[in-house]
Structures are given as C-alpha cells and as structure tokens.
Amino acid sequence: MPTRLVLANLLLLVASIASRSAIAAPQDVANHRLVAYTEQWPPYNFSESGKVQGIATDILRAACELAELRCSFQVVPWARGYKVVRSTANTVLYTTARKPSREDHFLWVGPLLPRTTWVYARNIPGAPPREAKELAQLRIGVVREEAAMQDLQAAGVPASALIEESSNDAVFRMLMGDMVQAMVDTEVGMAWNLRSVGRPTGSVTKLLKLSDDGGYYFALNRQSNPLMVRKLQQAVDKLRADGRLDAIVKNYEPAP
C-alpha cells in the first residue's frame, strides 16, 4: 500500500477516535448521577416541607445545572453521610470543612464559604471559660464526626465532656433544653437557629472563637468521575465570578 494511503488511513483513524472521545465525554457525565448527602444544619443545608434547601444546597443545585449534571439530594445524619461518601463513587458530602486530617479522604470542590466557628453557651454557673482549655468543665454538644469535634479535642477538651448527636439541629435542641451547656456553630448558623425558635440573641453567650480555618467545600468521593469533578469546580467558579453565589447567600440573610 502506498505510503500516502497508509498515512491518510492513519489520520482518518485518529480523527475518528478523537471524535468519538469528544462525544463520549459529555455522555459519560450525563449518564452519571451525582448523589449529594447532607445533614440538617440550617441555613446551610436543611429539609423543610419535603424539600432540601439552604445556602450550600442552592449553590450545589445551581452548579449541577450549569455543569449539566443530574444531582439528587439526601438529608441523613452527618456520620452516616460521611461514611457513605467515603466508600461510594459519584457522591458528595456537604457542607464540609476542609481540614488537613480530611485532605486525602475526598476530592474537593470550592471553596464555597469561609469558616469561623464559635463556642456558644447558656446557663453556665460561675465564671464562663475564656480559653479553650477551660471548656473541659462544660457539657458540650457536638455532631458526631464533625470538624468542630476534632477542633475541641485538639484544644484539649476530653471526650468525656462531649455529648454526641446526629445533627446540628439536634445539638441546638439539646442546648435550648439545658441538656448540654455549650455547642459550636457559626454566627450565621446560631442566628438562624435562634430565630427559628423565636429566641433573642441574648439567649446564648458567645464564649470564644474555636476555629477560623478550613473553609467550607463540597467533598466528593475520590473515585468519582474526574470530568464530573472538574465540571462542578468550573461551575462553582462561574457562580462566584458572576455574582450568583453571593446572591444565594443573601437570600438567606434576615430581613432588615
């Protein structure tokens, strides 16, 4: 066979393979469903009237639409969601603090929001703690497997002082019911919780800052479709660049 004919056939073969690959890539993503797991932690993620919503939920829903991904949402206890996403491809856990201890556990998409957490308390006898190491004297409600639990233990709070629950919502109810003396939350999260039960901000005392590192992200299983992860990151970047991410956050701010 003449050399020119061989080269022509090779070029046609390469072009055909490239064309099929270009077509297959979007289909590979379109044929995969991204299953999102989250907890009851308003206003970031929560279920109300049968619909999963919240700041991070709305960001993820908008990002999935931009990336042309089919996404479904489930609200479960945080520890269960963490376990499922660690072991199941094409799943995502949110709203997840990105910590060094978790870095190799997931593929990270974000950042979504900054992370600053505070220790809030009520009905504490005597002088309130002013340093993290003094928190050991309190009964502190925590969400099982959450980053704040790690932060408290890193600050020297023993496991015996921590009362575990399945969600932020459940821990807040324990605090309001005086079953624990303190809990960890963001300013936005605590303000929302207090408004939801008609309590004034003075119902709790902000004791001290626990952490301001990590940032909040979407955490995907490490075996997830790489193109899906890349498209999701690109979508989040676009939402931030065009102002839609900030608009979603503002939707959950209290009315003036």
Side-chain angles (χ1 to χ4, degrees):
M1 182 181 292
T3 302
R4 287 185 179 179
L5 185 56
V6 171
L7 288 174
N9 287 336
L10 283 173
L11 288 172
L12 284 172
L13 178 61
V14 170
S16 175
I17 292 172
S19 176
R20 285 198 298 269
S21 298
I23 294 172
Q27 289 178 340
D28 286 345
V29 174
N31 290 332
H32 282 90
R33 179 184 296 276
L34 179 64
V35 182
Y37 291 87
T38 191
E39 65 166 331
Q40 192 78 2
W41 181 26
Y44 302 101
N45 23 262
F46 60 99
S47 178
E48 187 172 85
S49 301
K51 181 181 179 181
V52 185
Q53 51 193 298
I55 296 172
T57 301
D58 290 358
I59 294 172
L60 181 55
R61 192 171 276 123
C64 286
E65 183 176 349
L66 267 180
E68 299 181 339
L69 300 176
R70 295 185 302 145
C71 300
S72 61
F73 298 81
Q74 296 188 34
V75 176
V76 298
W78 181 256
R80 184 192 306 171
Y82 198 102
K83 182 177 181 180
V84 170
V85 174
R86 283 289 309 275
S87 61
T88 310
N90 299 331
T91 57
V92 57
L93 180 71
Y94 74 97
T95 304
T96 310
R98 187 172 184 174
K99 307 282 285 183
S101 60
R102 295 172 166 177
E103 188 64 29
D104 296 334
H105 293 179
F106 302 102
L107 300 175
W108 300 91
V109 169
L112 310 175
L113 301 162
R115 176 179 182 263
T116 300
T117 59
W118 299 81
V119 178
Y120 292 90
R122 58 184 261 115
N123 297 335
I124 297 178
R130 293 302 176 192
E131 297 181 9
K133 63 183 180 182
E134 298 174 357
L135 294 172
Q137 63 186 280
L138 303 179
R139 297 191 315 279
I140 306 173
V142 295
V143 178
R144 193 173 295 111
E145 299 294 340
E146 73 168 353
M149 186 174 178
Q150 299 175 19
D151 292 336
L152 287 165
Q153 291 175 322
V157 179
S160 58
L162 305 180
I163 312 300
E164 298 181 18
E165 254 296 353
S166 61
S167 69
N168 175 278
D169 185 60
V171 173
F172 177 72
R173 290 197 302 270
M174 285 202 303
L175 181 66
M176 291 296 103
D178 294 325
M179 290 179 282
V180 296
Q181 296 166 299
M183 70 174 289
V184 178
D185 209 341
T186 64
E187 291 179 324
V188 172
M190 180 54 72
W192 182 283
N193 281 334
L194 290 171
R195 285 196 304 273
S196 70
V197 295
R199 296 290 189 96
T201 55
S203 299
V204 296
T205 301
K206 184 193 288 186
L207 292 182
L208 51 87
K209 182 189 292 186
L210 180 62
S211 175
D212 59 1
D213 70 334
Y216 289 118
Y217 285 72
F218 296 132
L220 287 90
N221 174 273
R222 292 189 63 83
Q223 302 305 314
S224 296
N225 185 309
L227 181 58
M228 175 187 290
V229 179
R230 186 165 65 251
K231 286 172 71 72
L232 196 63
Q233 180 65 66
Q234 291 170 347
V236 169
D237 291 342
K238 182 172 178 56
L239 290 171
R240 179 177 292 104
D242 65 20
R244 277 182 284 178
L245 193 151
D246 287 340
I248 289 171
V249 174
K250 289 184 183 300
N251 284 340
Y252 288 87
E253 292 180 351

